[in-house]
Amino acid sequence: QVQLVESGGGLVQAGGSLRLSCVASGLTFTSYSMAWFRQAPGKEREFVAGVTWTGGSTRYADSVKGRFTISRDNAKNTVYLQMNSLKPEDTAVYYCAAGRLIVVLTSSASYTYWGQGTQVTVSS
């Protein structure tokens, strides 16, 4: 049984930082590219960042470039999202996703497994 469990969300003031973590189990972690998506109320789920299975290639949404950093620790079956300079528009539920992809894709349909999400709220 595959499980992706996110943690690290919370309430932070604009300009602050948070670090999200996603621990994977029940799959061969090094066979999967990992990504973070987010969904704000009334909006569609959108791609935030992704990393290939080696960690050698990353991709970011334009809205988070220069502020967010995705990384992975294959020894711990964990992917991270370091979020700096947070803005109120970053407020959303953040989801971790896994897909057997050679490259990072931005479509949510490309990912097979999903976590339950963690809430990030940025106050102005």
Side-chain angles (χ1 to χ4, degrees):
Q1 178 182 358
V2 175
Q3 282 192 311
L4 302 179
V5 181
E6 302 101 332
S7 62
L11 174 64
V12 64
Q13 288 189 332
S17 298
L18 283 174
R19 188 195 196 202
L20 306 184
S21 299
C22 171
V23 180
S25 61
L27 54 69
T28 303
F29 190 66
T30 52
S31 294
Y32 287 81
S33 290
M34 302 297 295
W36 289 93
F37 286 76
R38 67 186 181 187
Q39 188 166 19
K43 294 188 177 181
E44 293 187 355
R45 190 169 297 189
E46 65 174 357
F47 172 82
V48 175
V51 60
T52 52
W53 71 271
T54 63
S57 180
T58 58
R59 186 173 182 178
Y60 296 91
D62 288 343
S63 59
V64 307
K65 277 181 183 176
R67 300 188 298 122
F68 291 10
T69 303
I70 189 170
S71 61
R72 65 188 293 162
D73 185 337
N74 286 342
K76 296 182 178 180
N77 282 13
T78 302
V79 62
Y80 304 98
L81 185 68
Q82 177 66 45
M83 305 186 295
N84 299 328
S85 301
L86 283 161
K87 305 176 181 179
E89 51 263 44
D90 294 318
T91 295
V93 177
Y94 283 69
Y95 297 91
C96 173
R100 294 201 69 172
L101 306 170
I102 296 174
V103 296
V104 174
L105 299 178
T106 62
S107 168
S108 59
S110 301
Y111 295 84
T112 306
Y113 301 109
W114 292 84
Q116 81 288 349
T118 185
Q119 176 70 47
V120 171
T121 303
V122 184
S123 63
S124 56

